[in-house]
Amino acid sequence: MKKNITADVLLPSGIWRQLYGKVCLAFPTAILLLWSSAKAQVADTRVHGPKPDSVIEISKTAATVPILYGEQSKGRLLQSVATVYTNQLVTTPSPQFLQALPGRLPGLNIFFSSGGPGLDGNGMGFNIRGARAQIVLIDGVERGYQSIDPEQIESVTVLKDALSTVMFGQRSSYGIISVRTKKGDIGKPRISFTAQSGFETPTALPKPLSAWQYATLYNEAKQNDAGATPVIPQYTQVQIDAYKNQTDPYTYPDVDWYNTLLGKRADVARYNLNLQGSGKGFRYFVDLDNMREKGIFRTSSENKYNTNSQLNRYALRSNVGVDVTPVTFVQLNLFGRFQRYNQPGGGASGIFSSLLNTPQLAYPVFNPDGTLGGSDKYQGNANIWGQAVARGYQFQDVRDIAVDLEVTQKLDVLTKGLVLKAKASNNNTTYFTTKRDKNFEVYQYLDGAYTKYGSTTEQVTGGGANERYRIVYLEGSLAYDRTFKKHAISVLTVANQQSRLAFNTTNLPENYTAYSGKLNYCFDEKYIAEGAVSYGGYNWLAPSKRWATYWAGGLGWNLHKEAFISRNLPFISNLKLRANYGLTGQVNAGYFSYIQTYFSANGYWFGSGSSLERGSGENAIANTGLDPEKAKKFDAGIDLGLWNNKLTITADYFFNKFYDLVAAPNLTTTVFGAGYPLQNYQRFNYRGTDISVTWQQRVKAFNYFVSGNFSLVQSKVVYNAELPKNYDYQVTTGKPVGQQYGYTAIGLFKSYDEINDPSTAVMPSSPKSSLRPGDIRYLDRSGDGQITIDDQGPIGSAKPTIYYGLYTGFSFKGLDFSVLLQGTLNRQGYFSGDFMNGFGNSGQNNAYEYNLGRFTAATAETAKQPRLWLGNNTNNTQISTFWLKDNDFVRLKNVEIGYTFPEKLSRKIGLPSVRLFANGLNLLTWAEIYDMRKDLDPEAWGAVYPIMKIFNFGINIKF
C-alpha cells in the first residue's frame, strides 16, 4: 500500500523550518568551500596518493591510550580499559553507536529489549563488569548523545576499574563509557563522502494460530476448565470449517494481522560528509550527517501525513583547534543535532500489544461496505489496521546544541612540561511532543446487518514540551609531565563541576563537584606506580554527607624491559604485570531527601458556616544520614605481546565489593503510618575475568586478523537486611545478585488419580477440585503437605554470566572483509504470560503455533507444555522453574565486505579513492530457546517492536 508523505511530515515547523532553511542555504556553500579547499589535496594525491584508513587495524598502533581526562602511554598504563576505534564502528549500520559495541569490548555487556526507530537509548541497556552503569561521556562531559554517526567518533573506551574512574568523584563506582570525537590533524584537507542505503527486517515475529486452529483449541481449553463434565463448545464444527475454508470471510474471518500491519522490510539510509585537515595555525574536523530509519508499519495512501514509525536525524559537528600562540592552543567544539521520531497516533507499543493479543478470527479488517471491522468483544478503536492508519499521528522533536571551549596553556616558561587547561561546556536539550490524534468507529457485520461501536472524531492537535534540560560543565586542570634520565613523572590535578538543570520541573540544579589529583611515576621504563585521589561533592545530599574522599593506587612491572627477558626470550615484545586497588563512590539519592516534606489533605467541611478545614501530613520520612554508595575495587592484569605484537593478550581479574548500597528497608510495619526512607544497607560483591586475544599479521599484500574477547562475571549478596525466614533456602544472602525466587516445578499432573493422591501437595488457592491433568505440579520443599510461600526458593542458574565476541577479517589488494560474532553463556530467560499460555484476558487473547504442543491425553507422557485454559489459572501462572528456560545465543552480529577500486581506475573519473561496501547487523542468530519456539528473539519478545536485522549497501569517496 502506498503512503503519501507531505512536507509537513518531513520538514520541521517553526524554528525548525528556520534552521532547516539555514542548513539548505549553507549546505551548497559548504560544498563549494570544501571542493575549493580540496583542489590542492587532489593535486597533491596525484603525486603522493590518498591516505586510506587501515582496514585490518583493530587496535591503534599509537603509543597512547584514551583515559579519563586525557591519554596515557601504553608502557605506563596501569588502568583496566578497553577501546575500539572508528574503523570498527563504521562497519555497523546502526543509528546508535552502542549498537556497534556488543562483542567488541571485554567487560561491557550491552543488552536489548526492543528494536526499531527510536531516540537515544531506545530498547537498550548496558552494564560494566556486572554492575549497573550510568555514565556516558562525550569529550569528557556527561551527555546522552547515543544517536550520533560513527564517522565523528575517534574512539570509545570503557573504564572498568577504580584507578580509571576514581577521579570522577561521586560518580566513580560503576564504570564509564568514554567517547572521544575526532579533532583536526595536520595535513592537507581530506574530504570523505559516504552514501549508504539498505533495509531492515525483523529477526523474529510471533506466529499466531490460524482462525480454525484457534477455534479448535479454544473449545479444548473450555472443556479442560470444565473437567470431566461435558460443555457446549464455543465454536461448532460448521463454524470451524467456515474459518478453515474461508467461505464467509466477513463473518468468519482469518486475518494474518502481522502480515496485514507490517511490511516485509523498512528502509534505512544515511549520508555523511566530513572534512579534516589543517591550515596555518589551525586544525579542523567538520562532519555533516543525515540518517533516516523507517518503521515496518504499513500506511494508507488516503492519509496526507505519515503514520509510520520513523526517525529522521540531522547532525552537525565542527571541531576546530587554533594555535593562538606557540604555547597557547584553543579547541572549540560545536555540535548540533535535530531529531524527529514519528509514530502512529496511538503509539507503536500499543499496536504491537494488539498484534500480540488479537486472534485472527476476532474481526475482519474491512466489512463488505469498506468500513472497519469490529465485534462486540473488540469494539471502538480496537481494529488494529485502524490503530495504525486512522488514529492520526504523533511525533517527538529533539534539539541538541552543545558548545565546548578548551584553552591549553603551556607553562614551559616556569618549568618544562607544565600545562594549564581550562574547559567550559554548555549543553541544551529540548524534547517537544506534537499529537494529532483522532478516533474511529468500527462495525460488526452479521447476517447482513451492521452494528456500530465507537465513533469517529476530528483530528485534534495537542502535546507540549516533555523535557528541557541544560548541562553546564566547568573544568580546570594543571598537568606536569617530565622525564629525568631514568625517571618519568606525570602529575595531574583537576577541579570540575557539572550542573544539570531540568526546566520542566521545579527542582533546583543537580551539581556534581570534584577536586582530584593523580601521580604516575615510572623508573627506567620498567617499574610503574600510580596513585589518584578525589574529593567529590553532590548538593542533593545532606550537608554533612555531601562530600567524600575516594582514592586508588596501582603498581606495574614491564618485565620485557628486563635483561633476563629481552636477552633470553626475544620473541616477547611486551610483558607487563599490573594491579590496582581503590575506593570509589556513587550517589544514589532522591531530590533533597534529607529534608522532611509535607502534603495538604483534601480537608473536610465543618461547622454551621460550612468552612473547609484542611489537614496536613508527612510524606516519606526524611533520612539525614543517607550516604553515597561505595565500592572497594581490586584489579590485577597482565598484558602480553609476542613476535613484535603479532599476538597480544590482555587478561584481568577483578573483585569489587559494593557496600552502603541504597535500597528501601525490608523491616517495616504499616503501624508506622508514613513511608520509610531509603537507607544504606545492601552489600554486593562482583568478581570475574576479562580476557582479549588478538593475532594480526601481514603476509605480502594479504593482511588478516583474529580477535576474541571473553568476560565472566559472578555476583554475591553479602548482606540484604532480611526479615527472618523459616528456611535457609529462602535467605537471599549468599546468593547471586538478582537471583529469582519461586516454586520448583517437578512436572505436570498426568491424571486425576495423581491429583487426588493424598500425598499430593497443592496450593490452598488452587484446591484439588480446580486442578486438571496437564497442570503444573510443584515441589513441597518444606514437607508440610501443601504448597505455600515457604516452598519458594532460589530458581535459575547460579553460574557466572559469560559474554564473548569473535572478530576476524582480512584485506587483499583492495578487497576487505570482516565478521563479528557475539554470544552468551549461562544466560536464562523467564517466559510467561499470555504470550506463552494463550487465551488470556478471559479467553479473548491470542494463541500461537507454540500452543499446538500442549498437554493432552495423547501426549501426557511427552508434553512439555501445560494444558490449555481460558483466562486465569492461579496454579499454572505462579513464578516457577517451569517458565525459566536456558537462553544462550550466538549472533552473527556484523559482517562487512568492501572493495576499493585501484587508484589508476578511480582517477579516471577524477576521484582519488572510491570504495563500495555492503554490511549487515544481526544477520543470523542461534539460540537455545529455538528448541522451545522459533518465533521469538532471545533478547526481546512479546509486545515489543522486534529486534531488526539490517542489510546495508554504500559507497565511500575520499578526496
Side-chain angles (χ1 to χ4, degrees):
M1 298 183 183
K2 294 183 178 181
K3 89 180 154 179
N4 295 329
I5 304 178
T6 66
D8 184 56
V9 173
L10 296 182
L11 302 183
S13 58
I15 189 171
W16 280 75
R17 285 189 186 277
Q18 298 175 24
L19 290 170
Y20 186 81
K22 292 178 182 178
V23 171
C24 290
L25 180 63
F27 189 74
T29 306
I31 294 296
L32 291 175
L33 290 173
L34 295 178
W35 178 257
S36 62
S37 63
K39 285 183 178 179
Q41 172 65 6
V42 173
D44 181 72
T45 54
R46 285 175 181 154
V47 179
H48 303 288
K51 299 177 181 179
D53 294 332
S54 173
V55 175
I56 72 157
E57 183 185 34
I58 61 173
S59 62
K60 283 287 184 182
T61 57
T64 60
V65 177
I67 60 172
L68 192 64
Y69 303 128
E71 296 179 336
Q72 179 70 64
S73 64
K74 288 184 178 180
R76 295 165 61 179
L77 182 68
L78 300 180
Q79 304 172 9
S80 179
V81 301
T83 303
V84 294
Y85 296 90
T86 306
N87 55 348
Q88 291 191 50
L89 300 176
V90 295
T91 66
T92 304
S94 59
Q96 305 196 53
F97 72 85
L98 283 179
Q99 293 173 320
L101 299 183
R104 297 190 188 275
L105 290 168
L108 176 64
N109 182 24
I110 297 177
F111 41 89
F112 299 85
S113 58
S114 67
L119 300 174
D120 291 309
N122 174 59
M124 286 190 297
F126 65 94
N127 61 53
I128 297 174
R129 289 182 166 176
R132 62 181 184 268
Q134 300 173 331
I135 308 299
V136 176
L137 302 180
I138 296 182
D139 290 332
V141 182
E142 185 177 5
R143 294 178 263 219
Y145 307 154
Q146 297 178 24
S147 181
I148 57 177
D149 57 289
E151 280 85 357
Q152 69 176 255
I153 297 175
E154 177 184 288
S155 64
V156 179
T157 301
V158 178
L159 311 175
K160 298 183 285 187
D161 61 354
L163 193 57
S164 64
T165 65
V166 68
M167 293 181 70
F168 216 55
Q170 297 282 35
R171 295 173 291 169
S172 58
S173 277
Y174 293 116
I176 296 173
I177 294 179
S178 178
V179 179
R180 298 182 65 180
T181 62
K182 292 181 179 178
K183 310 299 187 295
D185 54 10
I186 297 175
K188 297 288 187 178
R190 297 180 299 284
I191 300 175
S192 175
F193 174 73
T194 303
Q196 46 192 315
S197 179
F199 63 90
E200 56 187 18
T201 185
T203 58
L205 285 174
K207 294 182 179 179
L209 291 172
S210 63
W212 75 269
Q213 290 174 314
Y214 180 91
T216 301
L217 266 62
Y218 192 103
N219 287 343
E220 180 181 315
K222 184 178 181 181
Q223 183 60 63
N224 287 343
D225 288 346
T229 304
V231 296
I232 299 174
Q234 184 73 23
Y235 300 95
T236 66
Q237 188 60 48
V238 172
Q239 291 174 319
I240 292 175
D241 291 340
Y243 285 124
K244 186 174 185 179
N245 300 322
Q246 284 295 280
T247 54
D248 185 359
Y250 296 106
T251 305
Y252 302 100
D254 186 8
V255 182
D256 184 343
W257 285 110
Y258 279 94
N259 186 58
T260 301
L261 264 290
L262 306 182
K264 298 296 183 184
R265 47 185 263 182
D267 295 335
V268 293
R270 192 162 67 84
Y271 304 93
N272 181 269
L273 176 68
N274 63 71
L275 167 70
Q276 62 180 320
S278 65
K280 187 176 181 179
F282 69 95
R283 300 182 285 277
Y284 54 87
F285 172 79
V286 180
D287 180 86
L288 298 92
D289 191 87
N290 170 237
M291 186 277 299
R292 175 171 298 177
E293 181 183 14
K294 294 184 178 180
I296 55 175
F297 293 126
R298 298 185 188 274
T299 57
S300 172
S301 59
E302 296 179 1
N303 289 329
K304 303 303 180 183
Y305 47 80
N306 182 19
T307 59
N308 201 353
S309 288
Q310 182 168 304
L311 177 66
N312 296 335
R313 183 190 72 199
Y314 303 88
L316 168 65
R317 175 171 289 280
S318 172
N319 294 346
V320 179
V322 180
D323 294 304
V324 180
T325 73
V327 294
T328 305
F329 178 74
V330 176
Q331 179 72 41
L332 176 63
N333 302 335
L334 303 177
F335 175 74
R337 185 180 63 164
F338 314 97
Q339 297 182 94
R340 171 167 288 184
Y341 172 47
N342 193 87
Q343 58 181 324
S349 61
I351 293 177
F352 279 106
S353 179
S354 296
L355 284 171
L356 188 76
N357 294 323
T358 305
Q360 295 194 180
L361 54 67
Y363 46 81
V365 182
F366 298 105
N367 293 311
D369 63 353
T371 57
L372 290 171
S375 71
D376 55 345
K377 290 183 178 180
Y378 306 91
Q379 300 185 5
N381 290 334
N383 186 294
I384 315 178
W385 177 254
Q387 293 181 46
V389 304
R391 292 202 66 186
Y393 67 106
Q394 59 176 289
F395 56 88
Q396 193 170 30
D397 288 333
V398 184
R399 295 176 294 176
D400 303 283
I401 301 293
V403 181
D404 300 345
L405 179 64
E406 184 177 74
V407 180
T408 302
Q409 179 68 48
K410 294 181 179 179
L411 299 176
D412 290 346
V413 65
L414 299 179
T415 182
K416 187 177 180 180
L418 187 64
V419 177
L420 177 67
K421 288 185 180 181
K423 179 177 182 179
S425 176
N426 188 291
N427 306 265
N428 284 273
T429 295
T430 301
Y431 290 78
F432 193 96
T433 295
T434 300
K435 294 185 176 182
R436 292 173 179 162
D437 297 335
K438 62 180 183 179
N439 288 322
F440 60 91
E441 59 198 31
V442 300
Y443 292 84
Q444 182 175 19
Y445 174 75
L446 186 63
D447 298 329
Y450 292 88
T451 303
K452 175 184 172 182
Y453 297 101
S455 60
T456 299
T457 63
E458 294 295 326
Q459 184 170 284
V460 296
T461 298
N466 300 110
E467 184 176 3
R468 181 190 167 201
Y469 64 88
R470 180 184 67 209
I471 294 176
V472 176
Y473 179 79
L474 301 174
E475 177 185 305
S477 66
L478 184 65
Y480 178 72
D481 196 335
R482 192 81 177 270
T483 300
F484 304 91
K485 296 182 179 180
K486 293 184 178 183
H487 306 275
I489 185 170
S490 175
V491 181
L492 174 65
T493 60
V494 180
N496 59 42
Q497 182 179 78
Q498 175 184 297
S499 178
R500 186 182 191 276
L501 175 61
F503 290 91
N504 58 313
T505 71
T506 59
N507 290 353
L508 295 174
E510 182 182 27
N511 297 333
Y512 292 93
T513 307
Y515 304 100
S516 55
K518 179 180 68 173
L519 170 65
N520 181 284
Y521 170 76
C522 181
F523 176 74
D524 199 22
E525 298 183 339
K526 300 177 184 178
Y527 315 110
I528 314 113
E530 182 170 303
V533 64
S534 67
Y535 183 58
Y538 179 67
N539 68 317
W540 285 6
L541 286 172
S544 62
K545 302 292 184 180
R546 192 164 292 172
W547 294 88
T549 301
Y550 308 106
W551 53 267
L555 297 172
W557 184 14
N558 285 319
L559 275 82
H560 64 285
K561 296 289 186 177
E562 299 288 357
F564 64 86
I565 295 289
S566 58
R567 292 175 182 173
N568 301 314
L569 302 171
F571 62 90
I572 297 180
S573 47
N574 179 50
L575 177 58
K576 182 198 293 180
L577 302 179
R578 52 185 167 77
N580 68 69
Y581 180 78
L583 172 68
T584 59
Q586 191 86 20
V587 291
N588 183 14
Y591 180 70
F592 291 99
S593 59
Y594 67 92
I595 299 176
Q596 185 63 55
T597 59
Y598 302 85
F599 65 89
S600 295
N602 291 329
Y604 58 92
W605 294 94
F606 180 77
S608 58
S610 297
S611 61
L612 182 62
E613 303 293 335
R614 294 190 179 275
S616 62
E618 289 180 320
N619 289 316
I621 302 303
N623 182 1
T624 59
L626 194 67
D627 278 308
E629 299 179 337
K630 303 175 187 69
K632 293 179 179 179
K633 307 175 78 171
F634 171 77
D635 183 277
I638 180 172
D639 303 316
L640 176 64
L642 303 177
W643 302 292
N644 198 26
N645 287 336
K646 289 180 181 178
L647 175 65
T648 59
I649 300 173
T650 297
D652 284 85
Y653 168 79
F654 64 90
F655 196 142
N656 301 331
K657 296 182 178 181
F658 292 85
Y659 64 100
D660 282 349
L661 299 181
V662 175
N666 287 324
L667 304 173
T668 62
T669 173
T670 56
V671 176
F672 187 66
Y676 281 81
L678 297 176
Q679 299 175 4
N680 301 101
Y681 66 85
Q682 287 184 331
R683 295 202 298 268
F684 297 158
N685 287 352
Y686 293 87
R687 59 185 174 90
T689 302
D690 303 333
I691 301 173
S692 62
V693 180
T694 299
W695 175 276
Q696 51 185 344
Q697 186 177 17
R698 176 189 296 269
V699 181
K700 295 184 178 179
F702 182 76
N703 306 322
Y704 71 97
F705 67 88
V706 180
S707 180
N709 64 80
F710 171 92
S711 301
L712 180 150
V713 180
Q714 196 156 13
S715 62
K716 180 181 179 181
V717 176
V718 179
Y719 180 73
N720 202 22
E722 300 179 73
L723 291 168
K725 301 292 178 25
N726 293 331
Y727 298 93
D728 290 342
Y729 55 76
Q730 297 176 312
V731 176
T732 63
T733 301
K735 307 296 192 305
V737 177
Q739 175 79 60
Q740 196 158 17
Y741 285 73
Y743 296 106
T744 299
I746 55 175
L748 301 173
F749 289 113
K750 298 177 182 178
S751 65
Y752 282 106
D753 290 340
E754 190 175 342
I755 294 172
N756 295 321
D757 189 309
S759 63
T760 297
V762 300
M763 298 178 186
S765 57
S766 297
K768 293 182 178 182
S769 60
S770 68
L771 297 176
R772 305 286 182 263
D775 283 337
I776 301 173
R777 184 172 185 175
Y778 300 108
L779 174 66
D780 181 12
R781 279 177 176 265
S782 64
D784 62 357
Q786 58 181 346
I787 305 300
T788 66
I789 193 173
D790 284 340
D791 298 305
Q792 293 184 4
I795 60 176
S797 173
K799 297 178 181 179
T801 299
I802 296 173
Y803 40 98
Y804 57 88
L806 177 64
Y807 184 47
T808 184
F810 69 86
S811 65
F812 179 71
K813 293 185 177 180
L815 177 68
D816 60 87
F817 174 79
S818 65
V819 58
L820 171 67
L821 292 171
Q822 173 223 353
T824 64
L825 289 173
N826 299 334
R827 184 173 183 269
Q828 292 186 314
Y830 195 79
F831 299 83
S832 65
D834 293 342
F835 177 56
M836 298 295 291
N837 309 328
F839 303 109
N841 189 24
S842 300
Q844 289 187 211
N845 280 1
N846 214 346
Y848 307 89
E849 291 184 4
Y850 164 76
N851 298 120
L852 292 173
R854 79 285 183 197
F855 177 98
T856 65
T859 63
E861 298 299 326
T862 59
K864 296 182 180 180
Q865 300 175 31
R867 68 173 175 91
L868 299 175
W869 68 87
L870 302 180
N872 298 324
N873 186 313
T874 302
N875 183 81
N876 291 353
T877 55
Q878 299 293 320
I879 296 176
S880 75
T881 58
F882 192 90
W883 306 108
L884 192 65
K885 308 295 182 182
D886 290 335
N887 193 17
D888 291 328
F889 66 88
V890 178
R891 285 196 197 276
L892 182 56
K893 192 68 180 179
N894 180 219
V895 174
E896 179 171 88
I897 185 169
Y899 181 72
T900 302
F901 288 90
E903 186 177 340
K904 291 182 180 179
L905 181 60
S906 63
R907 288 196 181 281
K908 290 183 179 180
I909 57 175
L911 301 174
S913 175
V914 178
R915 178 175 180 263
L916 298 178
F917 63 89
N919 52 36
L921 177 70
N922 297 328
L923 297 181
L924 293 173
T925 303
W926 297 268
E928 284 185 290
I929 56 169
Y930 289 168
D931 294 335
M932 177 182 66
R933 57 186 300 177
K934 299 182 183 297
D935 62 339
L936 46 75
D937 186 274
E939 290 190 276
W941 59 85
V944 298
Y945 201 111
I947 301 290
M948 306 298 285
K949 62 178 69 173
I950 302 178
F951 301 87
N952 188 58
F953 309 89
I955 182 172
N956 173 253
I957 302 172
K958 285 187 171 68
F959 299 93

